[in-house]
Amino acid sequence: MSVYSWFDDCPDRKDRPSLKWGKYSGRDILPLWVADMDFRAPPAVVDTARKEAEFGNYGYAKCHPELTDAVLEYTSRLYDWKIDPNWIVWLPGMVCALNVCCRMQQDNASQVLTHVPVYPPFLSAPGNFDLTCTQLPLRLQGNRFSMDFELLEKTPTQPGDLFLLCHPHNPVGTAFTNQELERFSRWAEERELLVCSDEIHCDLLLEPNLKHLPLANLNPKIAESTITLMAPSKTYNLPGFGCSFAVISNPDIRLRFKKAMAGIVPDPPAMGFRLAEIAYRQGEEWRQALLKYLRKNRDFALERLHKMTGLTPYSPEATYLLWIDARELKAENPHRFFEEHGVGLSDGSDFGSPGFLRLNLGCSKNLLGQALDRMERACSSMVQK
Ligand SMILES: Cc1ncc(COP(=O)(O)O)c(C=O)c1O
């Protein structure tokens, strides 16, 4: 199968126990919402999954040394980031890791800060532990969302408060630059904040000239107060196998993080560990082909969306999620409006931005085209009213 048909020809998940497709089961609504992609995982991953399944024993698992080596080699090759094996803490998911970060703050601080809009668990995790969540709106500069440093300067904080950073950013698709990260880290250091940098989307920078910069790799000082979250799950489309990791160089913070996990957070499953290793070791050719495919889907969608009256799309620099301002459409509820016209998008209200929508580009161009046709007809019907 050629690389392109690999992405054009997606497995049919209509009758599968799939979160994305199951939501609209039995209804003619194309699901372009939750952040998983419709594509098959890389061929080497699929082969390994088959062999592991046939092995027939599914006992408790433990991270194997080859996986640690694969992670160290990967972070070094892609990000020039040299990490120590002792800094790695494995977890079955990133939402769980965001909640662990908040849990470890329970006795130390009361405030969690984050940018909005943002991936919904950033907004809900603090409340799960009776912490207040301070939402700091990103600032739109031209067609790109960036951090609002004036607002950061004005915001009161206490030493030890937690900042949940999404880098690259879901849903707005910003890949923060070196300057932005430097300025952010100076501010966080001055305020003595703990930072959780969720970098789950970091392998999916769509512009070939952009390079992801792990926050903790900027300088040793910020590394001392940063918990970095990474995973192969978004990049290689393995979220169903629950395998992610935190990188925490500061031993005291690592200990607090592990204490907050104790007795609650299970290890990833054996299949997750094994597939993570194969994805990191053998997935590069597939990842490059994926990036090309996503870039084409993004450009195709932007061209169409820009022509739809009432919608303002923002071009993502990273990942397969496209943020759209639908407030000009004058639909009472844009999310429901598009569902009624056969397209299931993510509702901006869940991200802290009512009137906005998030479209998932991780699907075949054919499906994307059908969804855009429906959206175009829906927008035209509003104009004609
Ligand atoms: C920024 C971010 N963090 C975490 C997650 C979820 O990770 P997991 O499925 O490992 O809980 C997502 C999924 O969309 C995400 O976009």
Side-chain angles (χ1 to χ4, degrees):
M1 196 183 266
S2 85
V3 185
Y4 279 102
S5 50
W6 190 265
F7 297 111
D8 277 335
D9 176 27
C10 298
D12 183 353
R13 289 197 282 169
K14 276 193 208 80
D15 298 318
R16 309 275 309 170
S18 153
L19 179 65
K20 188 182 194 180
W21 285 82
K23 178 171 182 186
Y24 297 117
S25 170
R27 296 161 72 192
D28 182 22
I29 299 179
L30 303 173
L32 270 65
W33 66 290
V34 68
D36 79 18
M37 301 189 281
D38 288 344
F39 313 129
R40 287 185 180 80
V45 170
V46 176
D47 277 353
T48 306
R50 193 176 296 122
K51 285 182 198 140
E52 290 288 314
E54 280 168 6
F55 181 66
N57 178 287
Y58 309 117
Y60 292 120
K62 171 172 172 297
C63 169
H64 50 295
E66 293 80 3
L67 172 56
T68 307
D69 287 350
V71 170
L72 300 192
E73 192 274 327
Y74 193 80
T75 50
S76 165
R77 178 164 48 89
L78 268 71
Y79 307 122
D80 302 322
W81 190 25
K82 309 272 182 283
I83 60 180
D84 184 295
N86 294 319
W87 300 350
I88 302 174
V89 182
W90 290 97
L91 299 123
M94 292 289 222
V95 171
C96 154
L98 294 169
N99 279 276
V100 168
C101 287
C102 290
R103 185 163 200 258
M104 65 186 263
Q105 288 296 93
Q106 253 179 328
D107 300 328
N108 297 288
S110 62
Q111 183 181 217
V112 179
L113 304 107
T114 194
H115 291 127
V116 274
V118 77
Y119 177 58
F122 281 58
L123 302 175
S124 57
N128 293 341
F129 303 96
D130 298 326
L131 302 168
T132 54
C133 181
T134 302
Q135 302 183 14
L136 304 167
L138 290 165
R139 176 185 271 184
L140 188 59
Q141 288 173 317
N143 199 37
R144 178 180 185 272
F145 287 89
S146 176
M147 300 188 196
D148 185 342
F149 289 103
E150 282 164 30
L151 179 62
L152 292 190
E153 290 302 340
K154 274 191 267 173
T155 304
T157 57
Q158 296 290 327
D161 280 351
L162 170 67
F163 198 106
L164 295 178
L165 179 71
C166 193
H167 164 48
H169 194 89
N170 170 11
V172 299
T174 300
F176 295 115
T177 62
N178 197 3
Q179 285 92 325
E180 287 166 320
L181 294 171
E182 289 281 0
R183 207 166 158 188
F184 174 81
S185 71
R186 273 199 303 278
W187 173 78
E189 283 162 24
E190 275 163 26
R191 302 293 186 100
E192 297 180 48
L193 302 183
L194 172 65
V195 181
C196 167
S197 183
D198 178 337
E199 304 187 9
I200 194 171
H201 294 281
C202 67
D203 308 331
L204 296 174
L205 264 53
L206 297 176
E207 303 300 343
N209 60 336
L210 291 180
K211 189 170 157 69
H212 175 73
L213 305 160
L215 179 74
N217 202 26
L218 279 191
N219 60 63
K221 187 107 191 333
I222 192 72
E224 278 297 288
S225 53
T226 299
I227 297 169
T228 305
L229 306 180
M230 286 187 167
S233 52
K234 293 287 160 207
T235 316
Y236 301 98
N237 211 25
L238 309 171
F241 279 122
C243 184
S244 9
F245 59 96
V247 181
I248 313 172
S249 61
N250 181 321
D252 297 331
I253 298 177
R254 196 165 61 240
L255 186 66
R256 279 175 55 210
F257 187 87
K258 285 187 174 172
K259 270 192 181 162
M261 288 171 62
I264 298 175
V265 179
D267 291 325
M271 188 73 101
F273 278 136
R274 188 82 181 107
L275 300 189
E277 180 206 339
I278 301 300
Y280 282 146
R281 285 256 189 245
Q282 299 179 41
E284 187 54 17
E285 194 186 341
W286 183 93
R287 186 177 74 99
Q288 291 302 336
L290 169 74
L291 290 173
K292 271 195 197 147
Y293 198 91
L294 292 177
R295 232 174 269 143
K296 284 192 178 167
N297 270 5
R298 176 195 62 180
D299 295 345
F300 171 59
L302 283 172
E303 201 190 323
R304 301 277 310 266
L305 289 164
H306 274 301
K307 292 184 188 142
M308 297 183 201
T309 308
L311 301 186
T312 306
Y314 298 99
S315 179
E317 295 167 334
T319 201
Y320 49 85
L321 306 165
L322 197 153
W323 190 236
I324 303 168
D325 184 347
R327 288 172 300 176
E328 289 290 309
L329 191 62
K330 306 280 185 261
E332 198 183 312
N333 177 333
H335 174 250
R336 204 172 50 224
F337 171 77
F338 283 110
E339 280 187 342
E340 284 161 5
H341 287 84
V343 185
L345 303 168
S346 296
D347 187 348
S349 308
D350 299 336
F351 297 72
S353 288
F356 285 73
L357 298 162
R358 194 191 70 177
L359 182 151
N360 182 341
L361 299 162
C363 60
S364 69
K365 186 175 177 205
N366 182 13
L367 187 88
L368 181 61
Q370 289 177 44
L372 291 166
D373 288 346
R374 291 179 182 197
M375 289 178 73
E376 197 170 273
R377 278 198 294 275
C379 291
S380 307
S381 74
M382 268 316 247
V383 175
Q384 281 157 16
K385 268 189 190 168

